[in-house]
Amino acid sequence: MQDNFDSIISRNTLFWLLITNVAVLTPQFSHATPWTMAICAICFVWRMGIYYGKVAAPPKLLVNTLAIAAAVTLGLVSSQIGLLNALINLLILGYALKYIEMRQQRDVKVVVLVGYFIIALTLLDQQAIINTLHLTLVAIINTSVLVSVYQDNRKPLTNLRFSLKIILQSIPLAILLFVVFPRLGPLWLMPNMKAAKTGLSDEMSFGDISKLTRSDELAFRVGFDNSDGSTLGPKNADLYWRTLVMESYDGKTWRQDSNIKDLQGQSLYQKFNRALPQDDSQKINKLEYVVISEPSHQRWLYGLDQAFSQDSNIVELSDYSLYAMRPVAQRQSYRVVSYPNSVMDENLTPNIRSINLALPENANPQTWRLAQQFSQQYPQPKARINAMMNYFAEQAYYYTLSPPVLGDQQIDDFLFENRAGFCAHYASALVYLARASGIPARMVTGYQGGEYNPKAGYYSIYQYMAHAWTEVWFEGEGWQRFDPTAMIAPQRILDGFDATFDSQSSYLLDSPFSSLRMKQYPWLNDIRNQIASMDYYWSVWVLGFDEQRKQQVLKKLLGDISTSKIAIAMLVSILIILLFIAYFAGLFEFKPKQDLIIRRYKTITQLLSVKGVSSPQQQPPLAYAQQLALELTEIQPQLLQQFNLFTDCFVALKYQPLSAPQYKQNLRQYTRLYWSLRLKLLMIKQLK
């Protein structure tokens, strides 16, 4: 097939270009600025005018001027929207402007290639199964443009079918490369997206977590790998997903300690690992699970106490949190092992002790005096903390998603005036009381609970499950978790968020089309879980197909893994795939099977010849029937009569215009006569 780069674009190709322009650009509109979208819309409308013959292609000078102006504008606003967003907008504008100014087939091929690049770029950011299926459809449509260039005489639907055939033929090779090719880390770090960061922050004020209760976004999912093959994790009251540890408090805001901040900065070029607990099965319980984190554009990850991960891209910080070496800009799957019964920091260094005893000066004097009372009444630290926990249950405190506004003395206002708050209020008050009484304490933020999906056996943790609790340090026992929320709203911890709060006035209030609304209808919730299960399996087996899983699959297929075995398997697989493609491309010619009606007629004539009568010798069917009449009239009149009917049916089926009912009737009679004649001829030794 010869390229004709200078030929004019056909109407068939123009039709496919209209469709592919919308299909390719639509997934990127979330990154496009309003004026980028406006230029794309203008280009599309102009191209519609060209397709219907209403306008001509714009002058190249106008297109070039627009391109230069767009590039300069993007350069000026890149600091506001982020470098990567600026580059994506530049690519979108280049695609749209090239789309409007193309005149020849060489321009079409450039647009198609850029379209493939945009599809690949979109796939880096949108990897859910529904997005992958959508982008596969976009790739098929984009390929149809290229097909229309070479097969201009085909109908649009024929172009689409041929494009689908090409994509399907490429799938086996893609699967082979996916399974065998080494899992490589990213070759570069993504520039700043200026994307909205979701979830918890490394700074927390009293109202921050309560704001997350208005979000139905998925934070992460967890699948447990239990030794007995079950998928159930710990009970809801034990599902405390540790994310951030806050140790510095200035009277208004909780922050991470500067030492942890320094370690996070060093993690870009140095990986930290904590020492694993002694694996004594009689004392230490071990939990193994896989976490699939949704894009948050943050670097902190999630795990139960104590969490360890062998993932090369994860750092284990000294405050027992997990930290990614790069922002989580797309779904990230990682394996975690937790030891919930192990001791965290049996001994404290003087520096860490002082950090977790520090309080702002001249702040919250009433709370300070209350702490001194607890210290005098309960000299033992553990008894003192338990008394503080009981204090919340005994006093008239309320748990609410909309707490009153606090003044400058936040803890005092909460404990002695408002007496209503959310998890952050109670956890902050307990930390303050503990520190004021001389016990090291700190704030931990994360998520509590999880929604179990019985269809696929995993837990979904949403943003509205964000939670804050307290960790208190005891000599010889290390950091211990205390959650004042369990004293005020025990159902929130035991049975989850929905057991305490109305979803319609919290995380569903701003989400009228949320799939979580289906939870109140069992059959709709079952469908929701089925769809979510498909996406989960996709995330585990495709997005989470790391080097460890690859080795497991290869070991099952090849046994002992070696370079030579992998090379031979790849060569054999590629050869089979190439033969498969060559066959469908028509490179192998096989003798086509004869029509069943003709094959049956020849079978009967061959049997007649074997039994001693004349062979047809390329005679027409009716002429051969007349010849047999001369030979069989006296010796086999009944057989001759059946053969004549058989011949009449054959002639009618092959040479006469029949209606559908007539064709079916003749075909049934022809089939019946065929089997009858064949049986009789097999039973006769010789006709002559």
Side-chain angles (χ1 to χ4, degrees):
M1 190 176 294
Q2 186 176 3
D3 279 322
N4 187 3
F5 291 127
D6 298 324
S7 59
I8 298 175
I9 303 170
S10 67
R11 187 169 181 79
N12 186 19
T13 301
L14 288 173
F15 169 80
W16 278 112
L17 282 168
L18 290 173
I19 297 176
T20 195
N21 179 259
V22 176
V24 169
L25 291 182
T26 300
Q28 285 295 342
F29 278 162
S30 60
H31 296 301
T33 61
W35 51 273
T36 299
M37 296 174 63
I39 292 177
C40 291
I42 292 171
C43 291
F44 179 77
V45 172
W46 198 313
R47 199 76 229 182
M48 285 279 291
I50 295 174
Y51 178 75
Y52 287 108
K54 302 297 183 180
V55 296
K60 287 191 175 182
L61 179 61
L62 175 61
V63 176
N64 293 336
T65 303
L66 281 174
I68 294 172
V72 172
T73 304
L74 284 172
L76 295 174
V77 301
S78 60
S79 60
Q80 301 174 13
I81 65 175
L83 177 59
L84 184 58
N85 267 335
L87 293 175
I88 291 174
N89 276 269
L90 185 62
L91 180 63
I92 292 173
L93 287 170
Y95 180 82
L97 293 173
K98 184 64 181 177
Y99 170 75
I100 195 177
E101 69 94 23
M102 58 186 177
R103 290 173 171 82
Q104 299 171 339
Q105 287 188 5
R106 66 170 72 245
D107 301 322
V108 175
K109 294 169 186 177
V110 172
V111 170
V112 171
L113 291 176
V114 176
Y116 284 128
F117 186 83
I118 294 176
I119 292 169
L121 180 65
T122 308
L123 191 60
L124 292 176
D125 184 49
Q126 304 174 18
Q127 297 183 340
I129 186 170
I130 188 68
N131 300 119
T132 304
L133 293 174
H134 172 221
L135 291 173
T136 302
L137 177 61
V138 174
I140 293 171
I141 295 173
N142 197 51
T143 306
S144 298
V145 180
L146 199 59
V147 171
S148 70
V149 171
Y150 290 98
Q151 298 186 358
D152 180 44
N153 57 338
R154 300 292 184 92
K155 295 181 179 179
L157 192 59
T158 306
N159 295 140
L160 187 63
R161 282 199 298 266
F162 189 75
S163 175
L164 176 61
K165 183 178 179 182
I166 293 173
I167 298 295
L168 290 176
Q169 288 175 355
S170 68
I171 289 177
L173 183 59
I175 294 174
L176 174 66
L177 295 176
F178 178 78
V179 173
V180 178
F181 205 78
R183 307 260 80 76
L184 300 177
L187 301 179
W188 63 86
L189 292 176
M190 298 294 281
N192 182 21
M193 282 282 294
K194 288 289 184 183
K197 296 181 178 182
T198 61
L200 297 169
S201 172
D202 57 354
E203 294 185 0
M204 190 197 71
S205 299
F206 277 1
D208 290 345
I209 289 185
S210 61
K211 292 176 182 176
L212 288 178
T213 62
R214 301 285 292 270
S215 173
D216 68 332
E217 290 186 19
L218 182 66
F220 57 98
R221 288 173 291 187
V222 178
F224 284 92
D225 299 328
N226 298 325
S227 57
D228 60 358
S230 65
T231 57
L232 280 172
K235 56 187 178 182
N236 196 84
D238 294 327
L239 292 177
Y240 280 83
W241 305 100
R242 186 189 198 87
T243 306
L244 291 160
V245 177
M246 310 287 186
E247 297 175 293
S248 298
Y249 181 57
D250 61 6
K252 295 185 180 298
T253 304
W254 285 96
R255 295 181 176 85
Q256 289 182 297
D257 181 64
S258 58
N259 293 327
I260 296 297
K261 286 282 193 180
D262 292 340
L263 288 177
Q264 291 175 350
Q266 296 172 24
S267 66
L268 286 171
Y269 52 86
Q270 182 179 2
K271 191 176 187 299
F272 306 104
N273 287 312
R274 287 181 257 108
L276 288 170
Q278 296 297 321
D279 195 358
D280 185 350
S281 59
Q282 296 180 350
K283 295 181 179 180
I284 297 180
N285 182 28
K286 182 168 71 172
L287 296 172
E288 298 184 21
Y289 49 96
V290 176
V291 179
I292 301 174
S293 175
E294 293 296 307
S296 64
H297 303 283
Q298 309 277 15
R299 293 175 64 185
W300 31 88
L301 301 173
Y302 322 98
L304 301 173
D305 297 329
Q306 296 185 45
F308 297 85
S309 179
Q310 297 299 316
D311 193 302
S312 59
N313 297 316
I314 294 178
V315 174
E316 299 166 359
L317 296 177
S318 58
D319 62 359
Y320 297 93
S321 60
L322 299 177
Y323 195 70
M325 298 185 72
R326 58 184 61 87
V328 183
Q330 58 189 35
R331 280 186 183 175
Q332 180 172 337
S333 174
Y334 56 96
R335 295 180 174 274
V336 183
V337 178
S338 287
Y339 299 85
N341 297 334
S342 59
V343 177
M344 294 191 292
D345 290 343
E346 188 172 356
N347 298 299
L348 282 186
T349 64
N351 182 46
I352 295 179
R353 180 186 292 271
S354 64
I355 290 172
N356 288 281
L357 286 173
L359 289 172
E361 295 182 1
N362 303 320
N364 305 299
Q366 290 180 274
T367 306
W368 178 272
R369 287 193 293 270
L370 179 62
Q372 304 313 306
Q373 294 176 15
F374 278 114
S375 181
Q376 292 173 5
Q377 294 178 15
Y378 303 95
Q380 296 299 319
K382 183 168 287 189
R384 191 184 313 156
I385 293 298
N386 288 330
M388 292 174 181
M389 290 283 286
N390 290 328
Y391 178 81
F392 291 112
E394 294 167 355
Q395 301 297 316
Y397 287 104
Y398 303 95
Y399 200 68
T400 175
L401 297 179
S402 304
V405 178
L406 299 174
D408 292 336
Q409 305 295 336
Q410 291 186 340
I411 306 296
D412 280 358
D413 287 352
F414 164 63
L415 283 178
F416 303 103
E417 299 294 335
N418 298 331
R419 294 178 175 268
F422 195 52
C423 59
H425 295 72
Y426 292 99
S428 297
L430 182 58
V431 174
Y432 201 99
L433 285 169
R435 289 187 178 186
S437 70
I439 304 174
R442 61 191 185 184
M443 170 85 73
V444 182
T445 60
Y447 298 84
Q448 201 283 321
E451 180 193 29
Y452 183 69
N453 186 327
K455 300 296 182 182
Y458 70 92
Y459 290 82
S460 296
I461 294 85
Y462 298 91
Q463 294 294 350
Y464 69 83
M465 297 177 182
H467 194 58
W469 60 94
T470 302
E471 281 186 347
V472 179
W473 187 85
F474 298 121
E475 188 74 37
E477 298 182 23
W479 293 104
Q480 301 290 312
R481 180 176 66 236
F482 287 87
D483 189 356
T485 297
M487 309 303 292
I488 311 300
Q491 293 304 117
R492 164 67 183 90
I493 305 303
L494 294 174
D495 299 322
F497 185 92
D498 291 301
T500 305
F501 299 106
D502 177 24
S503 60
Q504 301 295 331
S505 59
S506 54
Y507 59 86
L508 294 181
L509 186 63
D510 300 327
S511 305
F513 303 107
S514 173
S515 63
L516 295 178
R517 292 183 178 274
M518 299 180 183
K519 288 199 294 185
Q520 55 186 319
Y521 307 104
W523 66 277
L524 285 176
N525 191 50
D526 189 64
I527 295 174
R528 180 181 73 92
N529 284 333
Q530 290 281 15
I531 296 173
S533 298
M534 293 171 57
D535 189 63
Y536 173 74
Y537 287 129
W538 171 262
S539 299
V540 171
W541 293 106
V542 179
L543 303 183
F545 191 77
D546 53 15
E547 190 66 22
Q548 182 179 352
R549 286 192 181 274
K550 188 197 84 169
Q551 294 297 328
Q552 291 174 353
V553 171
L554 291 178
K555 192 171 183 179
K556 287 182 180 179
L557 295 175
L558 305 176
D560 294 333
I561 302 173
S562 63
T563 305
S564 58
K565 278 189 176 181
I566 294 177
I568 293 172
M570 283 191 67
L571 289 174
V572 172
S573 301
I574 290 174
L575 180 61
I576 293 173
I577 292 169
L578 291 177
L579 291 173
F580 175 79
I581 294 174
Y583 171 76
F584 281 98
L587 299 181
F588 299 138
E589 293 186 2
F590 297 100
K591 186 177 180 181
K593 291 183 178 180
Q594 282 187 332
D595 189 326
L596 180 62
I597 296 173
I598 297 175
R599 194 163 69 246
R600 286 180 170 178
Y601 179 80
K602 287 187 175 182
T603 299
I604 297 301
T605 58
Q606 288 171 0
L607 283 173
L608 287 169
S609 179
V610 170
K611 300 301 180 179
V613 299
S614 304
S615 59
Q617 296 180 352
Q618 298 184 349
Q619 290 177 288
L622 294 177
Y624 179 62
Q626 292 174 359
Q627 179 181 327
L628 285 187
L630 299 175
E631 301 182 29
L632 300 179
T633 300
E634 296 182 359
I635 57 175
Q636 289 288 344
Q638 188 177 1
L639 181 67
L640 178 63
Q641 183 181 4
Q642 281 189 312
F643 182 78
N644 287 335
L645 289 173
F646 181 72
T647 303
D648 291 341
C649 288
F650 174 76
V651 172
L653 289 170
K654 298 303 296 181
Y655 304 110
Q656 294 178 7
L658 301 175
S659 63
Q662 290 174 332
Y663 185 88
K664 289 181 180 179
Q665 182 181 355
N666 276 273
L667 184 60
R668 282 196 298 268
Q669 185 179 8
Y670 181 77
T671 302
R672 186 172 61 253
L673 289 169
Y674 165 75
W675 289 111
S676 177
L677 285 170
R678 184 168 183 175
L679 182 61
K680 285 182 179 180
L681 290 171
L682 289 174
M683 295 177 64
I684 296 173
K685 291 184 178 180
Q686 285 292 328
L687 290 172
K688 289 186 178 181

